Amino acid sequence: MNTCLLLLLSTLALAQSRFLLAPSVHKHVDPEVSVADTSLLVDPPSVSFTAHSNLTSTRFTSGDELSFYCEAVGTPMINVYWTLNGKIVQGHRRRSNLERLRNEGKVMIGQNVVGSKLELECVDERMTGTLSCVADNGVEIVKSSVQISTTGAHECARMRPARPQIGTWTKSRIEEIGNSAIFQCRKASAGVSIRWENDEGKELKKEDGFVVLPNGDLLIPSLQWEMMGSYLCVATSEEGEERQETFVFPTDENAPEPSGDGGQDYEEY
């Protein structure tokens, strides 16, 4: 079974189950968000946080190179950011309303899986406390946390890798045909440029129905069935490049149901 099919099946399963089990999860309802718009399907986000085998308390030594990964599922689009002792260390709290405004009056599916990683090429005693991955989709704010501590006298000249990094990206997305859809690709390092390619390595252009936004996200103004498939977000700099894949799944809620007339009855199997 190919990677795209596995990813799609995983997305559909998550869409049905709604919540992933994760350690140290705290949910906060945002009182400023109204969900009265019935044209927008809403599903509180869930978040799964992977760091090491011990997710409740992790000890490091100064000079260690670390990588943390977080995955969030929900509806509508999820904004993910990282905090250390409540202070943002990657990403931001701002949520974009562009997609919702473009789809005003339409039924949105908006089911998405978002991946995010925090990479550090060197840590010192400053990397001590509560590290949290926070997911906010405007319905709820959910975070998953781990207690970390760093010991040792080594002091890092820099903590971030010089190579280009993609901090947050859409792994898969289900959306109604004809709607606008945004696929995230957020750089986590300076001096990085973003481009998007299809699975054949062709750069996505506006004349083909794709728009790369200033923040690196991909906007598809009108999603079509033939756009189903895998796309790559590519971050490049003088230090190299990084790629992350997203799967686009258009759907049509108005498609006629199969009549069953003249077809094979599979219930006997």
Side-chain angles (χ1 to χ4, degrees):
M1 189 178 293
N2 61 39
T3 303
C4 293
L5 183 55
L6 285 171
L7 179 59
L8 175 57
L9 291 175
S10 173
T11 302
L12 292 173
L14 288 170
Q16 293 179 352
S17 63
R18 290 193 177 189
F19 291 99
L20 296 172
L21 296 178
S24 304
V25 175
H26 308 276
K27 299 178 182 179
H28 306 277
V29 177
D30 189 343
E32 297 182 359
V33 174
S34 171
V35 293
D37 184 357
T38 56
S39 68
L40 180 67
L41 300 181
V42 295
D43 189 14
S46 59
V47 60
S48 176
F49 183 19
T50 302
H52 287 66
S53 57
N54 182 355
L55 288 175
T56 57
S57 180
T58 307
R59 297 178 181 274
F60 306 113
T61 302
S62 293
D64 283 350
E65 182 175 352
L66 303 177
S67 180
F68 298 89
Y69 177 76
C70 176
E71 189 168 288
V73 182
T75 304
M77 189 170 72
I78 303 168
N79 178 46
V80 176
Y81 55 92
W82 296 80
T83 65
L84 179 63
N85 299 323
K87 181 179 179 180
I88 292 180
V89 293
Q90 181 174 293
H92 52 76
R93 290 190 174 92
R94 298 187 304 275
R95 295 183 62 257
S96 171
N97 290 318
L98 175 61
E99 185 181 79
R100 186 170 182 177
L101 291 173
R102 291 184 62 91
N103 291 318
E104 189 173 2
K106 299 179 180 179
V107 173
M108 289 180 62
I109 305 301
Q111 177 68 40
N112 61 146
V113 180
V114 176
S116 186
K117 59 184 174 65
L118 176 65
E119 291 186 323
L120 304 170
E121 71 171 13
C122 178
V123 296
D124 54 28
E125 290 182 321
R126 290 172 292 178
M127 198 65 180
T128 297
T130 303
L131 179 66
S132 301
C133 174
V134 186
D136 175 10
N137 72 341
V139 182
E140 284 188 17
I141 299 175
V142 178
K143 68 179 179 179
S144 187
S145 304
V146 61
Q147 295 295 322
I148 60 176
S149 61
T150 306
T151 59
H154 179 80
E155 185 173 338
C156 300
R158 69 181 184 199
M159 300 181 73
R160 296 284 189 172
R163 66 182 184 277
Q165 298 179 78
I166 298 173
T168 300
W169 67 98
T170 301
K171 297 186 68 175
S172 61
R173 171 71 187 271
I174 303 173
E175 189 50 73
E176 186 76 7
I177 289 174
N179 283 0
S180 293
I182 291 177
F183 302 84
Q184 297 182 67
C185 183
R186 306 287 172 82
K187 57 188 178 183
S189 50
V192 173
S193 61
I194 299 289
R195 72 176 187 275
W196 283 81
E197 299 176 351
N198 62 17
D199 57 2
E200 297 178 347
K202 179 183 177 182
E203 186 172 358
L204 303 183
K205 300 289 187 179
K206 189 173 182 179
E207 53 265 29
D208 298 319
F210 304 95
V211 178
V212 179
L213 300 175
N215 64 356
D217 291 355
L218 177 68
L219 166 65
I220 301 182
S222 181
L223 189 63
Q224 302 301 315
W225 181 254
E226 57 270 18
M227 292 176 174
M228 177 186 288
S230 295
Y231 297 86
L232 289 172
C233 170
V234 185
T236 60
S237 74
E238 294 180 353
E239 303 293 333
E241 71 173 33
E242 180 180 341
R243 295 167 174 257
Q244 295 294 347
E245 183 178 5
T246 185
F247 190 81
V248 178
F249 184 69
T251 185
D252 185 359
E253 70 160 10
N254 296 316
E257 295 288 339
S259 65
D261 296 337
Q264 184 175 0
D265 185 0
Y266 288 97
E267 292 183 357
E268 60 185 277
Y269 293 101

